[in-house]
Amino acid sequence: MIRKVKGTRDILPPESRLWVAVETVANRIFSGFGYEEIRLPLLEPTELFVRSVGEDTDIVSKEMYTFADRKGRSLTLRPEGTAGVARAYIENGLGQRPQPLRLSYRGPMFRYEKMQRGRYRQFAQIGIELIGASTPQADVEVLLVLHCFLSDLGFDDLVIVLNNLGDPEDRPRFIEKFKAELEPHRAELCSDCQRRWNANPLRILDCKVTRCRELVADTTPVAEVVSDEARAHVEAVESGLDGLGIPVRRSPRLVRGIDYYLRTVFEVVSPQLGEDTVICGGGRYDRLISDLGGAQVPATGFAIGEDRLIDVLPGSFRRRILERPTVAVLPIGDAAHAAALAVAKTLVTQGISAHTEITGRSLKAGLKWAAKIEARAAVILGESEISENTAIVRDLEKSEQVTVAREKVPEYVAELTASDGKS
Ligand code: HAM
């Protein structure tokens, strides 16, 4: 037997319904705020991620699926979406369109990570990017979209944590202070952090090794070594969010695991998954597009990990989607088959889910099958129903049935399914 690749998943029905439902909500909220979908390749030149995400990040140094194609070009399965959006923005001259540009995306990303709950090697992200606005209001809008989306799904226990990374110009001052504080313990850092010490000391802040975390916990938080402009920017974001009634918690040590961020960074954590398995990450990346050879265009955005989001979906949303009632259409005898599909068509076009029995089961076997698929009702078409243009509508919970005119079937069925309050 051939098995799936480690770290990938088969999303089976009915679980897949949750994915479709979550994506439908995302489409509605994102497009409502003006974010239009951009669909990008899963394969990009490796250099794109090296130059954007950063050479010393875990993603680039350990987790990418990189290979040479048949002509020897180094390609990488995208580990995230923002770099591709920035590349596409430059390559397609999207700076010519009215700014700011609001884009959304979703789809698979690939990172060679150690498997655990909520951590996969192929996972899906749903994200938005707001490109061409440097104001705090842009960050506020992005967080508002995020909040609206999560609220619409019924979440009430998620926490948005936010921090100020300052500007790249603030980094040397921070790094000097940070290294001076850490110097007495330098030898205790893990081998990766020994390398990061010179290459990219900021990355020591998101090392997952326990001892490194302990040592870092006593150093001055990055948010305390930022310029007045950066401080004012993030404070304006916080007061904007406060004005909209969106609670956020300051997390002065939050740095995120990607190099392109500056000023505002944020994550969404769930009490169910803990602080290490975040649901969403995002922030401002004003230098990314210019670093990749484009114009100086500020931008901000986020990406939600869809696998994790679905893992902790509120029960109310989950039930509403998974308990969607369905109807079994049961033709008895050859003459009834075409009529059965015609009834199914009418039901489906009126928004009622209908499964038609198409294997030639007897009525008894058909009713058993209807029970197995947890149909709420059965529409039975026998010889006399066909000749009289009627149908039997059977309530499968109460085991009661009525014979109704064929055109009244949707009405009866709708009443039955609606009476459950979960149509
Ligand atoms: P990220 O924090 O690396 O940010 O990823 C965003 C989200 O993807 C995470 O918060 C997490 O929920 C999910 N995720 C990451 N790795 C895995 C995994 N191995 N298994 C399951 N889920 C995972 C970014 O990717 C940025 N591009 C976000 C962004 C957009 N910043 C600005 N715009």
Side-chain angles (χ1 to χ4, degrees):
M1 183 172 53
I2 299 174
R3 292 180 183 279
K4 62 183 175 298
V5 172
K6 191 171 170 190
T8 64
R9 314 170 67 196
D10 299 323
I11 313 280
L12 308 176
E15 178 83 3
S16 55
R17 270 192 226 165
L18 296 172
W19 289 68
V20 175
V22 159
E23 288 159 15
T24 305
V25 174
N27 286 345
R28 177 164 49 76
I29 304 281
F30 295 174
S31 66
F33 279 100
Y35 290 78
E36 293 226 48
E37 186 166 315
I38 182 165
R39 298 193 178 199
L40 297 174
L42 306 194
L43 270 182
E44 295 277 7
T46 302
E47 193 196 350
L48 174 66
F49 304 110
V50 176
R51 280 176 50 190
S52 55
V53 173
E55 210 163 355
D56 308 299
T57 57
D58 280 351
I59 297 177
V60 171
S61 66
K62 302 181 189 164
E63 298 171 356
M64 293 205 304
Y65 280 88
T66 296
F67 57 94
D69 74 1
R70 288 172 189 279
K71 289 264 165 65
R73 288 171 289 236
S74 181
L75 303 182
T76 292
L77 283 172
R78 63 180 188 189
E80 61 103 55
T82 309
V85 171
R87 196 248 331 120
Y89 182 90
I90 301 166
E91 191 169 348
N92 296 289
L94 298 182
Q96 305 301 316
R97 300 194 181 190
Q99 305 288 300
L101 200 61
R102 293 176 164 96
L103 299 170
S104 74
Y105 56 88
R106 69 178 146 85
M109 309 288 161
F110 303 84
R111 296 183 193 176
Y112 195 91
E113 291 205 69
K114 217 167 159 189
M115 284 276 296
Q116 59 188 72
R117 182 178 177 192
R119 206 167 286 281
Y120 307 102
R121 292 184 178 169
Q122 177 178 333
F123 59 96
Q125 284 187 349
I126 308 181
I128 65 169
E129 311 291 354
L130 174 48
I131 304 177
S134 60
T135 58
Q137 287 70 41
D139 296 322
V140 174
E141 174 176 307
V142 157
L143 280 154
L144 170 66
V145 175
L146 174 62
H147 187 260
C148 273
F149 172 62
L150 296 174
S151 305
D152 207 279
L153 295 174
F155 281 106
D156 57 9
D157 61 345
L158 299 183
V159 180
I160 302 176
V161 292
L162 178 138
N163 196 23
N164 189 349
L165 281 191
D167 290 317
E169 292 73 22
D170 301 329
R171 297 278 152 81
R173 267 188 305 133
F174 170 72
I175 286 166
E176 197 185 328
K177 200 171 170 59
F178 177 66
K179 280 185 162 182
E181 290 173 351
L182 215 52
E183 182 67 54
H185 303 284
R186 187 171 164 183
E188 295 170 54
L189 293 169
C190 73
S191 56
D192 280 339
C193 285
Q194 300 288 347
R195 190 175 43 77
R196 290 169 181 144
W197 183 270
N198 287 322
N200 192 344
L202 203 65
R203 293 274 68 92
I204 297 175
L205 289 165
D206 58 59
C207 183
K208 315 236 168 19
V209 174
T210 314
R211 185 63 189 141
C212 297
R213 283 188 175 192
E214 287 167 2
L215 293 173
V216 158
D218 293 329
T219 59
T220 304
V222 60
E224 287 181 21
V225 192
V226 302
S227 67
D228 290 345
E229 291 83 359
R231 192 181 304 277
H233 180 99
V234 176
E235 281 173 8
V237 174
E238 287 173 312
S239 76
L241 291 169
D242 191 41
L244 289 165
I246 300 174
V248 290
R249 196 179 76 202
R250 253 302 173 127
S251 176
R253 291 179 197 283
L254 176 68
V255 287
R256 311 263 307 115
I258 296 177
D259 276 355
Y260 49 63
Y261 293 112
L262 48 79
R263 298 195 176 186
T264 322
V265 284
F266 56 87
E267 289 184 343
V268 176
V269 292
S270 141
Q272 286 183 64
L273 289 176
E275 307 255 324
D276 288 337
T277 311
V278 303
I279 303 278
C280 169
R284 176 162 284 285
Y285 53 95
D286 293 350
R287 309 287 167 92
L288 175 60
I289 292 173
S290 57
D291 285 349
L292 291 174
Q296 190 80 51
V297 185
T300 179
F302 65 75
I304 295 166
E306 195 173 355
D307 305 73
R308 295 180 186 177
L309 183 83
I310 285 172
D311 191 19
V312 296
L313 270 179
S316 54
F317 184 87
R318 194 173 273 278
R319 277 192 298 278
R320 182 156 57 81
I321 302 305
L322 293 180
E323 293 173 12
R324 189 183 61 195
T326 189
V327 171
V329 184
L330 307 177
I332 316 300
D334 289 346
H337 280 279
L341 284 170
V343 167
K345 178 188 157 196
T346 318
L347 289 169
V348 170
T349 51
Q350 299 197 24
I352 297 164
S353 156
H355 288 52
T356 309
E357 205 303 299
I358 34 94
T359 65
R361 285 182 172 100
S362 65
L363 176 59
K364 195 171 162 219
L367 284 169
K368 262 195 188 158
W369 167 74
K372 275 193 197 150
I373 64 164
E374 295 178 356
R376 176 68 185 82
V379 176
I380 302 163
L381 298 161
E383 233 168 77
S384 53
E385 285 76 30
I386 294 300
S387 63
E388 288 158 19
N389 207 24
T390 59
I392 297 168
V393 177
R394 185 173 173 88
D395 181 333
L396 293 174
E397 271 172 22
K398 296 190 182 142
S399 298
E400 291 167 3
Q401 62 186 46
V402 282
T403 299
V404 301
R406 188 84 51 80
E407 75 271 14
K408 296 274 189 202
V409 166
E411 204 178 296
Y412 273 81
V413 167
E415 215 166 277
L416 265 185
T417 50
S419 67
D420 293 349
K422 39 182 171 164
S423 62

